[in-house]
Amino acid sequence: GKDLLRKVASPGKEDVVDWLDQYHEETGLNCIKNNPFDIHIMAMTVQRAFDIALIPIWDMVNHDNGLVNTENDSLYADGGLKVRSSQDIPAGKEIFATYDMCPDCMGVEEYWGTPEILRDFGFVERNLYRWVFPDKRIWFSIEDGDDVDENGNSVYTVVWDTDYATGDGSARGYYGVADKERLQFLKDELKRLEDVYYGELENQGEVPTHEWNTILEFHEAAEEGIWHAIRSVEERATKARKEEL
């Protein structure tokens, strides 16, 4: 499954697969590299820990930026970490947190996206997901709203970094809507993903089912997200031309 995921991942995003080996090397933990049990425990700790600490119960709360219904103080606050509901939560409803837009996340949402969530936590986010290509100066998120079109399909909104205002009203980023050159990159990436699908993803082969399903889900999220981004750029360009007339 690792070789297949590398082919799906965008160029420069191969650490989605190789992060564990890189983590060993960066932290000097090569001594446990060949011990499956130690590797498993280390991976579980890195993936579930809150910053540098393991916090019972809170570590098990799932991530969903589209459904997040909690807020928390910094782990380093004078009173320690405190968690509160950010809205009314009916009995029996799941509690969600955010893994990349929290007080101790150090602004990773500026350069983290769906590939990094998969890399660090092992799942593909879909309700509100983000794609960041820093070397191409591209940042956008896909938000699944409550609206549906005439065919009953969900209406997605593409938010570019300069559209995304923080609480004080300032822009989150500075890349803006993709220009002609960056739009071409997105089109090339979409074509690459289509080629990967027809060349690599039509037959599961010997890839374990869980890995296969995750790879397919990641590929679908990438293809869907980039398609919506391209459409957003083209629709904005059309609107701008009409306004000039």
Side-chain angles (χ1 to χ4, degrees), residues 13 110-112 116 132-139 175:
K13 299 283 188 180
E110 295 182 5
Y111 54 89
W112 260 32
E116 287 73 28
V132 186
F133 302 93
D135 58 326
K136 301 297 182 181
R137 296 177 59 81
I138 294 173
W139 186 109
Y175 296 156

Side-chain angles (χ1 to χ4, degrees), residues 10-228:
S10 301
K13 299 283 188 180
E14 293 85 356
D15 64 344
V16 169
V17 181
D18 301 315
W19 75 272
L20 195 57
D21 290 340
Q22 294 171 359
Y23 185 83
H24 284 158
E25 294 172 1
E26 293 171 0
T27 57
L29 296 177
N30 290 300
C31 58
I32 67 171
K33 196 169 200 177
N34 296 319
N35 185 321
F37 177 77
D38 285 354
I39 290 175
H40 178 72
I41 294 302
M42 188 277 292
M44 289 291 292
T45 302
V46 171
Q47 290 179 333
R48 300 309 310 184
F50 187 81
D51 195 25
I52 60 172
L54 285 171
I55 304 175
I57 302 178
W58 182 236
D59 287 333
M60 304 309 296
V61 174
N62 287 324
H63 161 94
D64 193 316
N65 281 334
L67 298 176
V68 60
N69 50 15
T70 61
E71 59 186 23
N72 61 273
D73 300 325
S74 169
L75 178 67
Y76 306 98
D78 291 340
L81 184 141
K82 295 179 181 179
V83 181
R84 301 170 293 277
S85 63
S86 59
Q87 57 187 260
D88 291 338
I89 304 176
K93 185 175 181 180
E94 183 173 356
I95 294 174
F96 290 101
T98 173
Y99 292 178
D100 60 355
M101 299 177 69
C102 58
D104 295 314
C105 289
M106 299 181 291
V108 296
E109 74 270 16
E110 295 182 5
Y111 54 89
W112 260 32
T114 296
E116 287 73 28
I117 289 290
L118 174 60
R119 177 195 67 195
D120 283 18
F121 303 107
F123 64 87
V124 180
E125 58 180 353
R126 295 302 303 271
N127 195 34
L128 187 160
Y129 55 110
R130 184 186 315 116
W131 297 88
V132 186
F133 302 93
D135 58 326
K136 301 297 182 181
R137 296 177 59 81
I138 294 173
W139 186 109
F140 63 89
S141 67
I142 308 294
E143 302 182 2
D144 183 2
D146 297 327
D147 298 332
V148 295
D149 61 19
E150 62 274 11
N151 297 317
N153 300 315
S154 296
V155 176
Y156 293 90
T157 300
V158 178
V159 179
W160 301 88
D161 59 352
T162 44
D163 297 334
Y164 211 135
T166 57
D168 61 2
S170 61
R172 176 191 299 274
Y174 55 87
Y175 296 156
V177 179
D179 56 18
K180 184 177 180 180
E181 180 180 348
R182 289 177 286 168
L183 176 61
Q184 187 58 54
F185 165 78
L186 292 174
K187 289 181 176 180
D188 291 343
E189 181 61 10
L190 183 60
K191 177 61 167 59
R192 186 192 70 80
L193 288 167
E194 292 172 351
D195 292 343
V196 169
Y197 179 83
Y198 290 111
E200 305 288 347
L201 299 180
E202 291 190 300
N203 188 342
Q204 179 176 348
E206 298 181 357
V207 178
T209 297
H210 175 70
E211 293 182 19
W212 175 253
N213 290 338
T214 299
I215 291 168
L216 288 181
E217 190 176 3
F218 180 65
H219 179 273
E220 181 181 359
E223 201 169 45
E224 181 182 79
I226 292 174
W227 184 88
H228 282 295

